[in-house]
Amino acid sequence: MALCLACSLIARRNFVAYDQLVRYKWWYQYGYMSSNGECFTIGVATRESLDEFIDRQKIFAKQHKLPIDYIDYLSDPFLLAKFNVECSKPGVAGNGSLMRLAPVPLFFHQHIKEAVEFSGYSGKITHGDQKAYDACRYFGALIVAALHNFTKDELLDVNFLDKHRSWFGETPICDEIRKIAQGSYRKSGGYDDGIRGKGYVVDALEAALWAFWSDDNDFEKGVLAAVNLGDDTDTTAAIYGQLAGAYYGYEKLPEKWIYKVYGRKFMIKLSKWIGYEGKKWKKTDVFLSHEEYPSEFHRSVSIDNILALDPDEVQPISQSRITRDSRILRRHSTYDKCSSESNTPCKLGSPMQRPNQPSPPKPENKSALYKLFKSKKKQPPNGTSTPKLERKNYLDKRRRSVNN
């Protein structure tokens, strides 16, 4: 799921919660970004949220008369704003919201407040409880601070939340997460003193921070400590590894481990790509909830904006193309497969095509806007040759007709 989240941030060059859910669905249904080609050990909360998302997609497509084959590639900002991406409910506070978090603070770490808020929101779409939301915000803030070269003492400061209150906006951190931030994990006895790496997000966060606090600046020791707590071992270690990896850096990871990781070269390139796209991100391009955020967060898409696009700027991540009038303005559909051995950047727009799986059909009816961009050569009226100035006037006239 962390790879799905990373691919979404890169392919959309933005935080698009709808697209994140789509990629989680691809993982759930097709094994997208899985190390063995299929979904395995999915949590109950995540599965229920994705089932709810799939149902909402079907209803949304019917309401807005969208072809179901294209609902996964929805990019119209106005339609995205109408879709309710919060597919969970209050009381759902599993650790699945926290274990996949790292790509968000890695992408947005130069914009601290946004990184913290997006960290929380990335968990909220599948785990609706306030504790899961605040756990992700707090942990995202720790990862951001680690990337900004905070010392370990500064990261684990019992007054961290108060010293960096501006990072968290006007929404206060709930008492359960605040208690952890104030040092409830500082128990030298670990398991014997009540530290448990369970599926509850509060317990999982406390266990991961205990492992980080007690690892003697040794990544390997911290991972083993997290795993040896028992219970939900892989998730506890994954949460620890996000913060410890950001703090210690790639060079401090045990070589005997990293060379056995599946897709290692792919993940290294993906990490660099996240850093590259994160530096270019602007605060104007945001798609969040259908009601909670004002319209100025939603980037308007006009014909003039599309005409101004430089094709070189949208490669190699996605091929910008018009597929339906005013409903689907852009579709990312370039992902086939990625070889970790290749130096060619991977294309991450759509799920891998499985054997014997047909590609979605192309729309039969093409709008005037589609024809305007797809035709290779435009002939002026009466078939006469056109100088540059006359051709510009001709295109302006066509643009006005499309706008009308």
Side-chain angles (χ1 to χ4, degrees), residues 70-303:
Y70 290 108
I71 194 65
D72 284 355
Y73 309 103
L74 192 64
S75 295
D76 187 317
F78 305 106
L79 291 178
L80 286 171
K82 291 180 180 180
F83 193 99
N84 183 5
V85 294
E86 295 176 14
C87 297
S88 185
K89 60 186 75 171
V92 178
N95 56 16
S97 57
L98 198 58
M99 67 181 182
R100 63 182 188 238
L101 178 67
V104 176
L106 288 175
F107 190 95
F108 294 104
H109 74 91
Q110 294 183 338
H111 308 274
I112 296 178
K113 291 183 66 175
E114 286 76 12
V116 172
E117 179 59 27
F118 292 159
S119 293
Y121 202 78
S122 71
K124 192 175 184 180
I125 60 178
T126 55
H127 296 73
D129 195 86
Q130 184 69 25
K131 293 186 285 293
Y133 172 69
D134 286 343
C136 290
R137 287 201 297 158
Y138 170 55
F139 201 65
L142 290 178
I143 295 175
V144 168
L147 295 172
H148 283 258
N149 297 318
F150 278 45
T151 66
K152 198 167 189 177
D153 290 338
E154 290 173 328
L155 292 174
L156 301 179
D157 190 338
V158 295
N159 296 314
F160 181 89
L161 292 178
D162 294 328
K163 289 182 178 180
H164 306 288
R165 185 177 301 172
S166 62
W167 294 7
F168 298 89
E170 298 179 359
T171 305
I173 297 291
C174 66
D175 292 339
E176 292 86 348
I177 303 303
R178 179 171 289 275
K179 182 180 177 181
I180 294 175
Q182 292 173 346
S184 68
Y185 54 84
R186 294 173 181 249
K187 298 176 180 179
S188 57
Y191 186 90
D192 293 335
D193 287 343
I195 298 295
R196 295 290 186 273
K198 294 190 174 182
Y200 181 39
V201 70
V202 176
D203 291 339
L205 176 60
E206 185 177 53
L209 288 179
W210 167 80
F212 185 61
W213 170 72
S214 61
D215 67 4
D216 295 330
N217 294 321
D218 185 337
F219 182 90
E220 181 175 349
K221 180 178 179 180
V223 170
L224 294 176
V227 170
N228 287 327
L229 285 173
D231 295 310
D232 199 355
T233 58
D234 56 336
T235 301
T236 305
I239 297 170
Y240 163 84
Q242 294 174 82
L243 177 58
Y247 179 73
Y248 295 124
Y250 179 79
E251 294 76 13
K252 297 294 181 65
L253 303 182
E255 289 189 9
K256 62 184 179 182
W257 288 356
I258 62 176
Y259 284 105
K260 293 186 177 181
V261 172
Y262 180 83
R264 175 177 59 88
K265 292 184 179 180
F266 168 72
M267 286 189 281
I268 292 174
K269 294 180 180 181
L270 198 69
S271 301
K272 293 179 180 179
W273 206 347
I274 288 176
Y276 173 77
E277 292 296 341
K279 289 180 181 178
K280 297 171 64 177
W281 181 80
K282 298 179 181 179
K283 296 184 181 182
T284 56
D285 300 341
V286 181
F287 299 100
L288 290 178
S289 175
H290 64 304
E291 293 176 347
E292 292 185 7
Y293 294 86
S295 58
E296 58 261 25
F297 276 105
H298 301 138
R299 175 176 56 182
S300 62
V301 178
S302 67
I303 293 175

Side-chain angles (χ1 to χ4, degrees), residues 43-63:
V44 174
T46 301
R47 184 178 65 249
E48 290 178 350
S49 295
L50 292 179
D51 286 337
E52 174 65 21
F53 173 67
I54 293 168
D55 291 340
R56 290 185 187 182
Q57 277 189 311
K58 295 175 182 177
I59 296 171
F60 192 83
K62 186 175 181 180
Q63 288 176 341

Side-chain angles (χ1 to χ4, degrees), residues 22-43:
V22 166
R23 293 171 195 275
Y24 297 153
K25 184 186 82 170
W26 292 342
W27 165 68
Y28 179 33
Q29 293 183 333
Y30 308 121
Y32 173 74
M33 290 294 151
S34 171
S35 60
N36 67 354
E38 61 184 30
C39 171
F40 59 98
T41 64
I42 184 173

